[in-house]
Amino acid sequence: MRLERRTYVPLYLVVIAPLAAIFTALLLAAGLIAAAGVNPLTAYGEMLTGALGSRLSITEMLTRATPLIFTGLAAAVAFRARLWNIGGEGQFFVGALITAWIGHSLGVPGWIGIPILMLAGMAAGAALLAGPAYMRLRFGVDEVVTTLLLNFIVILFVGLMIEGPMRDPMAFGWPSSVPVGGEYRLPDLIPRTRLHIGLLIAIAAAGVVWLILARTVFGAETRAAGLNAGAAAFAGISLPKTIMGVALLSGALAGLAGSVEVMGVTAGVTTTMSPGFGYAGIVVAMLAALHPAGVVAAAVFVATVFVGADAMSRATGVPSFIADVIVALCLLTMIVALLFTTYRVRR
């Protein structure tokens, strides 16, 4: 038995792979739910009802999906060029922190200030990933280690700032940063809900990323660098320039996620404002097979699991941590699915 790389991957395999991965992950998680003494079908029914059963639950699910789209795009862009950006969580927080810091006393009208704050968040995220990318290109340092460790450093720095210079005196002792000005809050998409126009910005970002990757020279160079770096360099593509460009784009998208979350949902920054958006973005990107359009659908699925798990826990008693298990299983099963999508088994 041996694995032989496919010369052509049919479209039906690209579509079936994530669906099979999700089905297998849910099947494996069903065993854990059954072990807890609950009928898996009942539990999954409660999960769907909790995420999609009412206007409020749907808007909450889409609110949760918004940052996942940004972080999923960040991971997809980087992974396409084989730049292993595991630091989406840190880039999310640094984008949120710079947005709250500048937005607290910017002093310009909202229609000018909101784009400025988004650009600031993007610049912060891009700068944070530029360092690991440079160390990889200059010294051969593994970016998996540097980006992962930067997550913890950034979160500790955020804690330092919100307990010190950026502490909100009106938070009654709650560790939170000063909020952005009210004129810099993103408008609601649906009245009397938390859903804001950040969702539309995220979908538009997916379209822009698709255009960049599919219709520009930079996109072609990125794809070539990811498929075969040696052949790309032989063809005259500057790998350092391409990798650095990918790093800036990827970090900017993750930083934008933090910026939009602050302006759309939280107003200020806390160390608990992210339930792991940066890490979950990796799962979203993998389920989407690194395609920008698939990222939107995968983000909605992951958000459904996270939001629905809370309702399922209240109705059945199954701990809501099962959502983390399902998402982690999706990552593992998707990796296996991609293996058999890329290779065929030969005797």
Side-chain angles (χ1 to χ4, degrees):
M1 303 283 286
R2 61 186 174 84
L3 294 175
E4 179 182 283
R5 191 179 185 91
R6 297 177 188 271
T7 56
Y8 170 73
V9 180
L11 179 61
Y12 76 89
L13 278 182
V14 177
V15 175
I16 288 176
L19 298 178
I22 291 172
F23 176 77
T24 306
L26 292 176
L27 198 62
L28 293 172
L32 299 176
I33 295 172
V38 177
N39 186 329
L41 293 178
T42 302
Y44 286 143
E46 293 292 343
M47 182 181 287
L48 281 177
T49 302
L52 306 171
S54 68
R55 175 177 176 268
L56 177 62
S57 58
I58 291 174
T59 57
E60 281 298 307
M61 182 272 292
L62 292 175
T63 302
R64 182 71 71 92
T66 300
L68 290 173
I69 295 174
F70 285 118
T71 56
L73 289 172
V77 167
F79 290 1
R80 270 175 170 254
R82 294 187 181 274
L83 175 68
W84 308 115
N85 175 20
I86 315 298
E89 189 77 358
Q91 292 143 28
F92 172 92
F93 269 106
V94 79
L97 189 68
I98 200 73
T99 299
W101 178 53
I102 298 176
H104 181 62
S105 55
L106 185 56
V108 298
W111 62 276
I112 299 176
I114 288 175
I116 291 176
L117 294 178
M118 287 185 181
L119 289 174
M122 294 172 69
L128 188 65
L129 186 53
Y134 176 77
M135 287 194 288
R136 168 184 158 174
L137 295 170
R138 183 70 177 81
F139 306 109
V141 179
D142 190 339
E143 73 274 16
V144 172
V145 176
T146 52
T147 55
L148 180 62
L149 292 180
L150 272 176
N151 289 338
F152 302 103
I153 294 172
V154 168
I155 292 174
L156 288 173
F157 179 72
V158 168
L160 174 69
M161 294 300 289
I162 64 177
E163 291 284 359
M166 290 182 62
R167 185 184 184 89
D168 182 8
M170 303 300 291
F172 302 103
W174 184 260
S176 174
S177 77
V178 289
V180 295
E183 64 273 31
Y184 306 130
R185 301 298 304 276
L186 295 178
D188 291 339
L189 196 57
I190 298 178
R192 298 188 300 279
T193 69
R194 297 200 309 160
L195 186 60
H196 52 85
I197 64 167
L199 176 66
L200 302 182
I201 297 172
I203 294 172
V208 171
V209 169
W210 176 81
L211 281 174
I212 292 174
L213 296 179
R215 294 289 186 269
T216 67
V217 174
F218 172 72
E221 291 176 344
T222 299
R223 196 161 54 252
L227 290 173
N228 191 321
F234 183 77
I237 295 174
S238 172
L239 290 179
K241 182 180 174 184
T242 302
I243 294 297
M244 187 55 73
V246 167
L248 294 177
L249 178 58
S250 175
L253 287 165
L256 182 58
S259 182
V260 168
E261 189 71 1
V262 166
M263 290 191 288
V265 179
T266 62
V269 178
T270 68
T271 53
T272 57
M273 66 180 289
S274 168
F277 288 132
Y279 299 113
I282 296 172
V283 181
V284 169
M286 293 302 293
L287 284 176
L290 309 184
H291 194 286
V295 163
V296 177
V300 169
F301 166 73
V302 172
T304 299
V305 172
F306 279 130
V307 174
D310 292 333
M312 180 193 69
S313 179
R314 289 191 295 272
T316 65
V318 176
S320 60
F321 295 113
I322 194 68
D324 297 315
V325 176
I326 293 173
V327 172
L329 286 172
C330 283
L331 177 60
L332 296 176
T333 53
M334 188 61 196
I335 290 173
V336 175
L338 286 176
L339 174 68
F340 288 104
T341 302
T342 308
Y343 297 90
R344 67 174 79 242
V345 179
R346 294 288 194 189
R347 290 187 177 180

